Amino acid sequence: MLRKIIRIDEEKCNGCGLCAKACHEGAIGMVNGKAKLLRDDYCDGLGDCLPVCPTGAITFEEREAAAYDEAAVKAAMAKKEGQKAPLPCGCPGSNSKAIRREATGVSSSPAAEVESMLGQWPVQIKLAPINAPYFDGANLLIAADCTAYAYGDFHQKFIRNRITLIGCPKLDEGDYADKLTAILAQNDIKSVTVVRMEVPCCGGIEQAAKRALQQSGKFIPWQVVTISTDGRILE
């Protein structure tokens, strides 16, 4: 049938994901970092997605399209609510969860076990979800994975009171920027701290974080801390 339906210009789309979040029918999804109309019959043509798009990538067009199927939308939503979110790698160890810790003093006893300050799981950027309750109001730590081994007091100095994401720009495939952009754009992140090693290849994680901050369209306070290979914070 000929009807009004949305059109997404992929060249204008910055991959923020706000339209997918605004689409209550699930007609829009993120594919390879770009918004895409997944099913014509899920689009009601009302355009709730239009006002949230920061780049004007979404418009209306009139074309041949399947009729809006409200019953199919409701069935899909009910099915989605009744299922757990799929795990990023199919591994139970990547299941997202917050970790609650009681506020305790740090023992001065040399024999005392050092307490972990980690506040969530998973921590690997590739495995982390884009949306999770622990991101709301979070101070975000984006760290090269070697930094925690090089700097002795990493938990107390950097992980404490932050949500942690780690990666290795030299060994991990792909770029972190799109994933980090989506996390920053779709959650209420209060600040970003990037911790990297002094070695040149570690600059990739800093550059990805910078691009994500720019592409998110938000002003978020951020800082970069560099760790030397012998475990010092470099000014």
mmCIF file of all heavy atoms in Angstrom, residues 13-33:
data_model
loop_
_atom_site.group_PDB
_atom_site.id
_atom_site.type_symbol
_atom_site.label_atom_id
_atom_site.label_comp_id
_atom_site.label_asym_id
_atom_site.label_seq_id
_atom_site.Cartn_x
_atom_site.Cartn_y
_atom_site.Cartn_z
ATOM 1 N N CYS A 13 23.306 10.279 9.479
ATOM 2 C CA CYS A 13 23.197 9.602 10.783
ATOM 3 C C CYS A 13 24.552 9.546 11.466
ATOM 4 O O CYS A 13 25.548 9.119 10.875
ATOM 5 C CB CYS A 13 22.652 8.187 10.582
ATOM 6 S SG CYS A 13 22.574 7.214 12.102
ATOM 7 N N ASN A 14 24.608 9.969 12.739
ATOM 8 C CA ASN A 14 25.859 9.917 13.499
ATOM 9 C C ASN A 14 25.918 8.735 14.458
ATOM 10 O O ASN A 14 26.839 8.616 15.255
ATOM 11 C CB ASN A 14 26.069 11.225 14.264
ATOM 12 C CG ASN A 14 25.055 11.434 15.381
ATOM 13 O OD1 ASN A 14 24.143 10.630 15.583
ATOM 14 N ND2 ASN A 14 25.193 12.532 16.116
ATOM 15 N N GLY A 15 24.909 7.866 14.390
ATOM 16 C CA GLY A 15 24.931 6.653 15.202
ATOM 17 C C GLY A 15 24.647 6.855 16.669
ATOM 18 O O GLY A 15 24.985 6.002 17.488
ATOM 19 N N CYS A 16 23.998 7.964 17.036
ATOM 20 C CA CYS A 16 23.750 8.237 18.463
ATOM 21 C C CYS A 16 22.744 7.270 19.079
ATOM 22 O O CYS A 16 22.733 7.059 20.290
ATOM 23 C CB CYS A 16 23.288 9.673 18.655
ATOM 24 S SG CYS A 16 21.627 10.028 18.008
ATOM 25 N N GLY A 17 21.841 6.734 18.266
ATOM 26 C CA GLY A 17 20.872 5.759 18.769
ATOM 27 C C GLY A 17 19.650 6.347 19.442
ATOM 28 O O GLY A 17 18.808 5.599 19.943
ATOM 29 N N LEU A 18 19.513 7.664 19.455
ATOM 30 C CA LEU A 18 18.382 8.288 20.134
ATOM 31 C C LEU A 18 17.056 7.937 19.452
ATOM 32 O O LEU A 18 16.030 7.794 20.107
ATOM 33 C CB LEU A 18 18.563 9.801 20.185
ATOM 34 C CG LEU A 18 19.735 10.313 21.043
ATOM 35 C CD1 LEU A 18 19.865 11.821 20.929
ATOM 36 C CD2 LEU A 18 19.542 9.898 22.495
ATOM 37 N N CYS A 19 17.082 7.798 18.116
ATOM 38 C CA CYS A 19 15.845 7.470 17.399
ATOM 39 C C CYS A 19 15.375 6.057 17.739
ATOM 40 O O CYS A 19 14.175 5.811 17.907
ATOM 41 C CB CYS A 19 16.046 7.614 15.896
ATOM 42 S SG CYS A 19 17.367 6.593 15.219
ATOM 43 N N ALA A 20 16.320 5.127 17.861
ATOM 44 C CA ALA A 20 15.963 3.750 18.205
ATOM 45 C C ALA A 20 15.354 3.688 19.600
ATOM 46 O O ALA A 20 14.419 2.925 19.865
ATOM 47 C CB ALA A 20 17.184 2.845 18.108
ATOM 48 N N LYS A 21 15.884 4.520 20.495
ATOM 49 C CA LYS A 21 15.358 4.568 21.857
ATOM 50 C C LYS A 21 13.970 5.189 21.895
ATOM 51 O O LYS A 21 13.111 4.794 22.686
ATOM 52 C CB LYS A 21 16.325 5.363 22.738
ATOM 53 C CG LYS A 21 16.076 5.239 24.222
ATOM 54 C CD LYS A 21 17.191 5.911 25.005
ATOM 55 C CE LYS A 21 17.008 5.746 26.507
ATOM 56 N NZ LYS A 21 18.099 6.390 27.279
ATOM 57 N N ALA A 22 13.734 6.164 21.002
ATOM 58 C CA ALA A 22 12.438 6.861 20.976
ATOM 59 C C ALA A 22 11.358 6.058 20.272
ATOM 60 O O ALA A 22 10.171 6.306 20.470
ATOM 61 C CB ALA A 22 12.593 8.213 20.296
ATOM 62 N N CYS A 23 11.748 5.092 19.452
ATOM 63 C CA CYS A 23 10.781 4.302 18.691
ATOM 64 C C CYS A 23 10.203 3.209 19.578
ATOM 65 O O CYS A 23 10.832 2.180 19.808
ATOM 66 C CB CYS A 23 11.446 3.692 17.453
ATOM 67 S SG CYS A 23 10.315 2.699 16.454
ATOM 68 N N HIS A 24 8.993 3.419 20.085
ATOM 69 C CA HIS A 24 8.384 2.480 21.016
ATOM 70 C C HIS A 24 7.952 1.189 20.328
ATOM 71 O O HIS A 24 7.688 0.185 20.990
ATOM 72 C CB HIS A 24 7.173 3.132 21.692
ATOM 73 C CG HIS A 24 7.495 4.419 22.387
ATOM 74 N ND1 HIS A 24 8.363 4.485 23.444
ATOM 75 C CD2 HIS A 24 7.096 5.700 22.147
ATOM 76 C CE1 HIS A 24 8.468 5.745 23.853
ATOM 77 N NE2 HIS A 24 7.722 6.504 23.079
ATOM 78 N N GLU A 25 7.853 1.220 19.014
ATOM 79 C CA GLU A 25 7.394 0.033 18.276
ATOM 80 C C GLU A 25 8.536 -0.895 17.894
ATOM 81 O O GLU A 25 8.310 -1.990 17.391
ATOM 82 C CB GLU A 25 6.649 0.456 16.998
ATOM 83 C CG GLU A 25 5.320 1.137 17.249
ATOM 84 C CD GLU A 25 5.489 2.574 17.716
ATOM 85 O OE1 GLU A 25 6.531 3.195 17.404
ATOM 86 O OE2 GLU A 25 4.582 3.081 18.406
ATOM 87 N N GLY A 26 9.783 -0.450 18.077
ATOM 88 C CA GLY A 26 10.923 -1.283 17.721
ATOM 89 C C GLY A 26 11.190 -1.341 16.230
ATOM 90 O O GLY A 26 11.842 -2.264 15.740
ATOM 91 N N ALA A 27 10.707 -0.349 15.479
ATOM 92 C CA ALA A 27 10.907 -0.345 14.026
ATOM 93 C C ALA A 27 12.330 0.046 13.652
ATOM 94 O O ALA A 27 12.806 -0.316 12.582
ATOM 95 C CB ALA A 27 9.915 0.616 13.365
ATOM 96 N N ILE A 28 13.003 0.802 14.520
ATOM 97 C CA ILE A 28 14.353 1.284 14.231
ATOM 98 C C ILE A 28 15.360 0.526 15.095
ATOM 99 O O ILE A 28 15.142 0.315 16.286
ATOM 100 C CB ILE A 28 14.470 2.797 14.504
ATOM 101 C CG1 ILE A 28 13.462 3.573 13.655
ATOM 102 C CG2 ILE A 28 15.892 3.288 14.220
ATOM 103 C CD1 ILE A 28 13.439 5.061 13.962
ATOM 104 N N GLY A 29 16.467 0.141 14.477
ATOM 105 C CA GLY A 29 17.549 -0.507 15.205
ATOM 106 C C GLY A 29 18.880 0.044 14.730
ATOM 107 O O GLY A 29 18.955 0.764 13.736
ATOM 108 N N MET A 30 19.942 -0.280 15.473
ATOM 109 C CA MET A 30 21.276 0.167 15.105
ATOM 110 C C MET A 30 21.992 -0.974 14.401
ATOM 111 O O MET A 30 22.145 -2.069 14.957
ATOM 112 C CB MET A 30 22.058 0.600 16.353
ATOM 113 C CG MET A 30 21.383 1.706 17.160
ATOM 114 S SD MET A 30 21.039 3.196 16.185
ATOM 115 C CE MET A 30 22.712 3.715 15.786
ATOM 116 N N VAL A 31 22.436 -0.734 13.182
ATOM 117 C CA VAL A 31 23.131 -1.728 12.377
ATOM 118 C C VAL A 31 24.452 -1.135 11.911
ATOM 119 O O VAL A 31 24.467 -0.110 11.219
ATOM 120 C CB VAL A 31 22.287 -2.158 11.153
ATOM 121 C CG1 VAL A 31 23.054 -3.187 10.320
ATOM 122 C CG2 VAL A 31 20.944 -2.720 11.596
ATOM 123 N N ASN A 32 25.554 -1.758 12.336
ATOM 124 C CA ASN A 32 26.889 -1.263 11.978
ATOM 125 C C ASN A 32 27.068 0.216 12.315
ATOM 126 O O ASN A 32 27.639 0.990 11.537
ATOM 127 C CB ASN A 32 27.170 -1.501 10.488
ATOM 128 C CG ASN A 32 27.201 -2.973 10.135
ATOM 129 O OD1 ASN A 32 27.657 -3.800 10.918
ATOM 130 N ND2 ASN A 32 26.717 -3.314 8.963
ATOM 131 N N GLY A 33 26.545 0.613 13.470
ATOM 132 C CA GLY A 33 26.728 1.972 13.950
ATOM 133 C C GLY A 33 25.821 3.005 13.314
ATOM 134 O O GLY A 33 25.994 4.200 13.535
#
